[in-house]
Amino acid sequence: MVGLYIYDRLNSYQHCPEDERLNEGIEIGMHGRQSNSFIIELPTPREKRPSLLLFIFVITASFCIAWFISDGLLSTRRRGSHQSNGDGDSIVKKPDSDLDGTEVADEDVNIGRIPDLIWGDEFNGDQVDMTKWTFINGNGCDVGLCGWGNNELELYTPSNTHVARGKLIIEAQQNRGGSGIRYSSSKIVSRGKADFGVVETDVYDEDETAESNEALERSRRFEAKLKLPWGHGIWPAFWMLPTHNMYGGWPKSGEIDIMENVGKEGPNTVHGTVHYGLESPQHQYAESGITISSQKPFFNPSALSGKLNETFHTYSVERQPGIIRWYIDDIEYSSITKADMLPYNWPFDEDFYFIVNLAVGGNWPGNPVDVDSSSRDDITKFPQQLEVDYVRVYEGVFPRIVGKIVVDCSEQDVEYEIVNIETDDETLFTWSVPQNATIKTGQGSRRIVVCFNSKIDGSDILDSEIIHVQASAIDNQSASSSIGLAKIQGNGIGTRVKIVDFNGKCSSMNELYPRLKDYNFDCGRPSTCTAFVLNKTTDEYTCGERIEWLINKLGMNEEEACKEVAYKQFHGHCGPCNPFVRDEQ
């Protein structure tokens, strides 16, 4: 269990362990910048003066009356982040995003259109619903793609899928006959039966600024509840492909991988990925994985605990114009925006359809380890089963946490806030934070201030930490009255925070925080080609190592090397260092 700090809401200030450093003049924070947070010292009861209180009361009352007249009576729509779409739904702008990974919440972003379930399959019958799904059969050779383009070994057949006890079960089997087909499995798709793009709005204008844009943060969430198989060479996937290929063949029109697990990595690592770009060798992908600790849950209660092949977990993406977010059990662990993909095309606002399959073997997972040909202890057992409890599509706005997603291991006064939710004085929020962090202020409220300090103790810390919150008594509404409220009142919601050591202050105590390597180049993009980006791993090497090698070993100049790595080869990971995209874009 990670640190969980609960204080009385009216007395929730905690002294940060690193505050003494600030007083000594040592800068703490991302790239040496100090936090913008501040403390307002209220007068003690002895210092209060009736005249001052009366003045404050009169001013406050006047302001409230003026607001009520202008915004409550005379306006046909609410200003700022809230708009009306004419159907009684509240419209919410998405928060601005800072270059260091901070999402800056608009003060008014509290209410969203309550999410609706607009499509789903609960698998309550006794067979696959063919009005929603189509079987894909064979091994890909009939479409000129033997092994499905990945050197997979399975033959897809409908007979490997059945529905029982409210679950869809796809079973991968090993065939020992003389047919030449060693493995069989199943793949189902929803193309032409359930195809979804982003929510279109007449008021959205991507060229407008965040302050003037009337765009709605109204997203669609694509979600499945799954229990994964596990074994070397086993490759379950829940993903999406474009319905119409508006921008050309793969990968130009995109691919969205909501969840992939490759057995050789163990049962508790999943990946979220998008594929885009041009034909090889300029096929691009942006991938982010997350590993769940089965021995040491990130937080209490038990969400994200237990092996992913032993219990059911939810996997989802949210899509809205120009942005995709990935979730596991309502923990946001990755996102990508249209700006991240420049100068390549963003194809992900078009219609996409679902694919659920269980592959065997391939370039990424490797092949199964056969009992007849190996004495290894990781022999792949068959049959393997992918169980699906449901597949759903929601439309609306879900509660989420905004704040920095990359922090220094000793960074202070980092704010996190719940947005897209309506609250009142009866709402109690219980937050938990990474093990070596403390909640300075705000426990019980919608916004907290966190102090990170990896030297508090020497316990093991995963490099991907979780900020998590649960809520109770939200507006006296029952959990069933809103999907979004049900999630935050149930196991809660969270966001992943990547903790790094920017300045070497934490490495001596904990080798899990290696100091980021300093490079003497920034590809001409100092505000985006940061030390964090240059230290991102692409396969076996970091962005910076690849650029440095091209400069030192092949004699390229900085611009040529940055273009080769950040544009042609590894745009999905190193794109912020692409010298041919201006920072202001």
Side-chain angles (χ1 to χ4, degrees):
M1 174 179 174
V2 301
L4 182 60
Y5 303 88
I6 303 177
Y7 305 100
D8 184 89
R9 181 185 291 177
L10 298 179
N11 186 26
S12 59
Y13 181 87
Q14 177 173 344
H15 183 65
C16 278
E18 292 293 327
D19 280 348
E20 290 86 350
R21 294 192 192 179
L22 290 172
N23 293 334
E24 294 170 2
I26 299 177
E27 292 183 343
I28 304 295
M30 175 91 61
H31 299 294
R33 291 183 298 166
Q34 296 190 8
S35 171
N36 294 325
S37 63
F38 57 90
I39 300 171
I40 300 176
E41 295 184 357
L42 298 176
T44 62
R46 292 181 183 179
E47 296 173 314
K48 293 179 180 178
R49 294 179 174 85
S51 59
L52 178 59
L53 291 176
L54 179 60
F55 174 75
I56 294 173
F57 174 80
V58 171
I59 294 299
T60 303
S62 301
F63 176 82
C64 292
I65 292 172
W67 175 87
F68 178 77
I69 292 174
S70 63
D71 232 15
L73 292 178
L74 301 181
S75 296
T76 58
R77 70 180 185 182
R78 296 189 64 184
R79 297 189 302 272
S81 296
H82 300 271
Q83 310 275 332
S84 172
N85 65 1
D87 296 325
D89 298 328
S90 180
I91 296 176
V92 184
K93 278 192 324 190
K94 74 176 182 179
D96 297 333
S97 179
D98 203 356
L99 288 174
D100 60 6
T102 304
E103 282 193 274
V104 184
D106 189 304
E107 290 294 335
D108 292 330
V109 178
N110 297 325
I111 307 171
R113 180 181 186 275
I114 293 175
D116 297 319
L117 179 63
I118 63 171
W119 184 90
D121 195 341
E122 305 297 318
F123 304 106
N124 289 327
D126 57 4
Q127 60 184 350
V128 176
D129 186 345
M130 300 309 292
T131 68
K132 297 179 178 179
W133 302 100
T134 300
F135 282 101
I136 300 297
N137 301 320
N139 58 6
C141 291
D142 59 334
V143 292
L145 204 64
C146 290
W148 300 108
N150 301 300
N151 291 316
E152 298 168 30
L153 303 177
E154 77 285 342
L155 178 76
Y156 286 131
T157 69
S159 61
N160 288 68
T161 294
H162 65 280
V163 176
R165 304 180 304 279
K167 306 289 190 296
L168 172 77
I169 301 171
I170 297 179
E171 186 169 276
Q173 300 173 350
Q174 186 175 34
N175 305 316
R176 295 188 175 277
S179 64
I181 304 299
R182 297 181 59 191
Y183 305 97
S184 61
S185 186
S186 284
K187 174 191 282 189
I188 58 173
V189 303
S190 69
R191 185 174 186 177
K193 301 176 180 180
D195 309 87
F196 300 94
V198 298
V199 179
E200 297 293 340
T201 62
D202 293 336
V203 296
Y204 181 79
D205 186 351
E206 64 182 9
D207 295 325
E208 292 291 326
T209 63
E211 290 75 15
S212 62
N213 200 339
E214 298 176 353
L216 161 68
E217 190 190 357
R218 182 170 165 180
S219 61
R220 283 179 174 158
R221 178 176 286 201
F222 305 86
E223 182 173 283
K225 189 173 184 180
L226 310 172
K227 184 164 72 172
L228 305 182
W230 174 56
H232 200 284
I234 302 302
W235 188 4
F238 172 48
W239 51 304
M240 306 185 82
L241 280 177
T243 304
H244 304 296
N245 284 330
M246 299 290 289
Y247 303 98
W250 190 91
K252 290 181 179 180
S253 293
E255 173 184 321
I256 304 171
D257 300 324
I258 304 173
M259 186 288 305
E260 292 181 283
N261 167 263
V262 288
K264 66 183 180 182
E265 295 179 338
N268 282 341
T269 297
V270 292
H271 300 265
T273 309
V274 290
H275 295 263
Y276 61 99
L278 306 175
E279 293 89 350
S280 181
Q282 284 186 247
H283 154 231
Q284 303 296 332
Y285 69 95
E287 176 272 336
S288 184
I290 184 169
T291 299
I292 307 308
S293 171
S294 58
Q295 290 77 34
K296 193 173 184 181
F298 286 116
F299 46 81
N300 192 29
S302 60
L304 279 185
S305 62
K307 293 182 178 180
L308 303 182
N309 66 320
E310 295 177 351
T311 56
F312 281 89
H313 295 262
T314 61
Y315 306 89
S316 54
V317 295
E318 283 182 0
R319 294 169 57 199
Q320 60 190 92
I323 188 168
I324 300 175
R325 302 185 186 97
W326 282 263
Y327 296 83
I328 175 172
D329 289 344
D330 299 304
I331 306 298
E332 181 181 342
Y333 71 91
S334 182
S335 65
I336 189 169
T337 68
K338 185 176 182 178
D340 296 332
M341 204 167 287
L342 290 173
Y344 291 103
N345 182 57
W346 173 271
F348 300 110
D349 293 348
E350 306 297 333
D351 283 352
F352 279 65
Y353 62 91
F354 289 117
I355 305 173
V356 184
N357 70 286
L358 177 54
V360 180
N363 299 334
W364 189 12
N367 293 338
V369 178
D370 192 81
V371 64
D372 297 331
S373 60
S374 176
S375 59
R376 292 164 53 178
D377 57 5
D378 58 351
I379 293 172
T380 307
K381 298 178 181 179
F382 285 93
Q384 293 277 344
Q385 290 187 341
L386 170 62
E387 296 187 49
V388 186
D389 186 23
Y390 63 74
V391 178
R392 296 174 181 170
V393 181
Y394 300 102
E395 185 176 304
V397 181
F398 283 89
R400 54 188 296 262
I401 298 171
V402 297
K404 276 190 174 181
I405 59 174
V406 180
V407 298
D408 185 81
C409 53
S410 59
E411 191 161 354
Q412 307 295 289
D413 297 332
V414 184
E415 292 188 4
Y416 293 94
E417 180 181 7
I418 307 170
V419 297
N420 302 336
I421 191 168
E422 187 174 11
T423 64
D424 60 18
D425 291 339
E426 300 301 318
T427 305
L428 177 65
F429 295 96
T430 303
W431 294 81
S432 61
V433 296
Q435 184 175 5
N436 288 337
T438 57
I439 298 177
K440 179 178 180 180
T441 185
Q443 182 64 276
S445 68
R446 193 167 61 91
R447 179 183 297 179
I448 60 171
V449 176
V450 178
C451 299
F452 293 87
N453 191 332
S454 70
K455 296 181 181 179
I456 293 176
D457 60 52
S459 301
D460 291 338
I461 308 168
L462 298 178
D463 65 350
S464 299
E465 305 282 15
I466 303 295
I467 302 290
H468 181 261
V469 65
Q470 287 179 287
S472 60
I474 299 181
D475 296 334
N476 297 317
Q477 299 185 51
S478 65
S480 61
S481 66
S482 164
I483 297 167
L485 297 186
K487 287 181 177 292
I488 197 169
Q489 286 179 314
N491 284 329
I493 63 173
T495 188
R496 179 169 71 169
V497 179
K498 298 179 182 179
I499 303 175
V500 296
D501 190 350
F502 282 110
N503 46 35
K505 292 181 179 178
C506 311
S507 300
S508 60
M509 293 291 291
N510 194 333
E511 289 303 318
L512 290 178
Y513 293 107
R515 183 174 183 178
L516 297 183
K517 181 177 178 179
D518 293 325
Y519 292 94
N520 60 356
F521 51 83
D522 56 23
C523 299
R525 300 187 63 193
S527 63
T528 58
C529 189
T530 62
F532 176 72
V533 172
L534 288 170
N535 281 268
K536 274 187 177 181
T537 299
T538 63
D539 296 330
E540 298 180 0
Y541 301 99
T542 67
C543 299
E545 286 172 338
R546 290 182 179 277
I547 295 170
E548 189 175 60
W549 188 86
L550 291 176
I551 294 173
N552 294 338
K553 300 297 183 180
L554 297 188
M556 289 188 180
N557 61 40
E558 180 178 329
E559 184 177 279
E560 292 171 337
C562 292
K563 179 182 178 181
E564 185 68 24
V565 171
Y567 174 59
K568 291 184 177 180
Q569 296 183 10
F570 298 97
H571 179 271
H573 297 90
C574 311
C577 293
N578 178 13
F580 297 99
V581 179
R582 294 182 302 170
D583 288 347
E584 59 264 27
Q585 289 183 298

